[in-house]
Amino acid sequence: LLASLCAPDMAYGLMAGYQHKRWGGYLAFRSSFTSCKTSYSCTSDGNLGNGSQMWPSGNEKRINLMVSGGVLAGATKWLTVYAGAGYGYRKLAWEDVDGNWASVSDWSRSGVAAECGVIASWRRLAVSAGVSTISFRTASFTCGVGVRF
């Protein structure tokens, strides 16, 4: 059981797995635990698509969610490799000068999520490090600390 953290867009979550001898499986969940209802969409240069520009206020929100499952494989007695897939959602929203929120379309993604990494164990302490992606358009570093039973 690992508590995990994801960067550069901060997201927190849990990873739980079962491994018997060399092989096992896991389920993972990470979220930024934020939400944002957007009124319209723009690109990262502020273009609205109809020839007009969005005027940002400087405020932004990053919404993240990832649910995945996969395989655990023991490489050594103290090192386990993991790889999995699932669903992921990343949304960047900017506030305009009128107080409305716009989804930044070229920095927002949803779809197939994939991840891989390693878990190092010492006695009951487990430390993980890995990378994850959503639709192979984003990349995030993940790390975690947990306990082995």
Side-chain angles (χ1 to χ4, degrees):
L1 184 62
L2 292 164
S4 62
L5 170 72
C6 182
D9 299 332
M10 296 305 284
Y12 312 92
L14 290 174
M15 178 185 211
Y18 176 77
Q19 184 176 352
H20 179 69
K21 296 189 181 184
R22 184 180 164 125
W23 297 98
Y26 75 92
L27 292 173
F29 169 80
R30 283 191 301 276
S31 176
S32 60
F33 298 101
T34 59
S35 64
C36 181
K37 184 171 172 72
T38 56
S39 304
Y40 59 96
S41 181
C42 70
T43 59
S44 59
D45 60 1
N47 189 352
L48 296 177
N50 60 2
S52 60
Q53 288 288 117
M54 181 244 193
W55 294 93
S57 68
N59 295 327
E60 70 177 27
K61 290 187 180 179
R62 296 172 187 258
I63 300 97
N64 291 293
L65 171 73
M66 186 170 164
V67 178
S68 62
V71 176
L72 297 169
T76 66
K77 186 175 181 177
W78 59 273
L79 188 68
T80 300
V81 177
Y82 70 89
Y87 175 78
Y89 179 84
R90 179 191 188 269
K91 183 177 185 180
L92 175 63
W94 287 343
E95 183 183 36
D96 66 18
V97 292
D98 296 326
N100 298 316
W101 288 91
S103 174
V104 182
S105 61
D106 51 340
W107 289 354
S108 300
R109 296 283 180 241
S110 65
V112 175
E115 65 181 347
C116 63
V118 294
I119 302 170
S121 301
W122 182 69
R123 296 185 183 178
R124 296 186 72 160
L125 177 68
V127 177
S128 70
V131 294
S132 63
T133 182
I134 298 173
S135 298
F136 299 97
R137 301 277 188 203
T138 67
S140 297
F141 171 73
T142 60
C143 61
V145 176
V147 62
R148 291 186 76 119
F149 296 102

